[in-house]
Amino acid sequence: MNRIPRAELCAALLLTASTSAALAHAVLERKEASPNAAYRGVVQIMHGCDGQPTTRVSVTIPEGVTGAKPMPKAGWQIATARGAYDKPYPSFHGTVSEGVKTITWSGGELPDDQVDEFTFFARISDAFSPGAAIYFPVEQDCAKGGYRWSEIPAEGGKAADLRTPAPAVRVVAAAAAAERSPSPAPAARAGDLAIETPWLRATPGGAKVAGGYVRITNTGSQPDRLTGASMALAGRGEIHSMSMDGGVMKMAPVEGGLAIKPGETVELKPGGLHLMFLDLTGAPKVGEPVKGSLTFEKAGAVPVTFAVAPIGAQAPAAAGGGHQHH
């Protein structure tokens, strides 16, 4: 039997340990932000703790990032801690001198072999200049054990050299960020139906479902009905509704399709009616359009191109931008 040299065995064990830690990293999906602009922070939890499910995620909002607000998450409770800022910062409505310092999601359970995201909104102040890095320390607790993704590299150092690096965002000029924002797909038309801005949310690797959205206007005098959807990376597509029942978010297929009356505009968007693509064979990536189709009762199958926006985006272009009331 061949023996593995001791040095090679040690190197292999070190690589395995390093890889396990890397898989468990908490990362921010949006890697760039601009001064004096809204930022949508999507914390991705990629792994549990040595097989244990994640039960708590807490994000520290750094000085200079103001007006932080968490997005509700079905099955999880949210707690925030407020405090005074080191100095006042400009906002849309004057100046602010205090705000949310930490956001914590707890009470849910994310299995070790699944990934999920925890979203917040905030504003990047003018305290940061292009080229700077902003670090958002994250605490991840599991049924047993946990991680503290809080290490910040020393000046000139690299996050890759740290064992538990804090998720970071690089500050870029507004013009540079706009150049990299996904653009809406061109409008399509099928008879009296105008189909505008079909788009998808990007998904983390390994995800099996993706959300799709579109705006449809019936300019004719006869009703039609959206009965199905498809895209290149999915085994099947469905039309879903979303509602809150006793504080619990529920999704369900729309049986019989979605009616579109004459003169009516129906918008499928985050938090409401939407397309659900299942059995993914690949992950939609930001900025890479995906071919697909929408099927109507009368207009038939209509080819469309889905733009892909970041995970957690609320709009197809410049996702996360715009006026946020903080």
Side-chain angles (χ1 to χ4, degrees):
M1 182 174 68
N2 294 331
R3 287 179 172 271
I4 301 175
R6 183 181 181 85
E8 291 184 18
L9 178 60
C10 290
L13 290 173
L14 285 172
L15 178 60
T16 300
S18 173
T19 302
S20 298
L23 285 173
H25 282 178
V27 297
L28 282 165
E29 188 275 333
R30 295 193 71 204
K31 301 294 193 297
E32 295 181 346
S34 298
N36 286 318
Y39 174 70
R40 181 189 303 278
V42 181
V43 179
Q44 298 177 336
I45 299 298
M46 308 303 294
H47 205 274
C49 312
D50 296 323
Q52 296 294 315
T54 299
T55 57
R56 175 182 174 274
V57 175
S58 185
V59 181
T60 296
I61 307 301
E63 180 70 23
V65 178
T66 64
K69 293 182 179 180
M71 177 181 285
K73 188 171 184 64
W76 296 72
Q77 288 80 51
I78 296 176
T80 58
R82 298 178 61 88
Y85 298 139
D86 290 347
K87 65 175 186 178
Y89 293 97
S91 73
F92 288 114
H93 309 292
T95 60
V96 291
S97 57
E98 65 173 33
V100 171
K101 294 296 192 79
T102 62
I103 300 172
T104 301
W105 292 264
S106 63
E109 186 171 288
L110 173 61
D112 174 64
D113 61 350
Q114 297 180 20
V115 297
D116 206 345
E117 63 265 3
F118 299 79
T119 304
F120 64 91
F121 297 83
R123 180 173 175 80
I124 307 299
S125 74
D126 58 4
F128 303 99
S129 301
I134 309 174
Y135 296 92
F136 291 80
V138 172
E139 296 179 359
Q140 177 189 358
D141 289 334
C142 298
K144 293 182 180 178
Y147 295 101
R148 295 297 179 263
W149 307 108
S150 57
E151 290 185 282
I152 297 174
E155 188 172 352
K158 297 180 180 179
D161 297 331
L162 302 176
R163 181 171 177 78
T164 55
V169 173
R170 185 168 66 93
V171 179
V172 298
E179 289 176 1
R180 287 187 283 275
S181 295
S183 298
R189 194 165 186 94
D192 293 326
L193 299 179
I195 302 168
E196 303 174 84
T197 60
W199 64 285
L200 305 167
R201 280 175 170 167
T203 63
K208 293 301 181 183
V209 297
Y213 314 96
V214 67
R215 178 184 173 93
I216 304 168
T217 300
N218 187 344
T219 62
S221 58
Q222 297 296 319
D224 206 335
R225 187 176 295 271
L226 177 65
T227 59
S230 67
M231 75 160 180
L233 299 175
R236 58 195 174 97
E238 298 177 350
I239 307 162
H240 279 208
S241 64
M242 180 178 291
S243 61
M244 297 296 293
D245 183 4
V248 177
M249 185 179 295
K250 293 187 175 182
M251 287 193 296
V254 177
E255 300 296 339
L258 181 62
I260 306 171
K261 300 175 183 178
E264 182 179 61
T265 295
V266 175
E267 187 168 8
L268 283 70
K269 58 185 179 180
L273 291 166
H274 59 281
L275 303 174
M276 181 64 74
F277 294 104
L278 304 99
D279 304 329
L280 295 185
T281 58
K285 295 180 173 58
V286 176
E288 298 183 10
V290 179
K291 298 290 186 181
S293 68
L294 301 177
T295 302
F296 297 89
E297 189 173 68
K298 295 180 179 177
V302 181
V304 295
T305 300
F306 293 96
V308 182
I311 294 174
Q314 296 291 302
H323 187 126
Q324 301 288 344
H325 289 271
H326 295 314

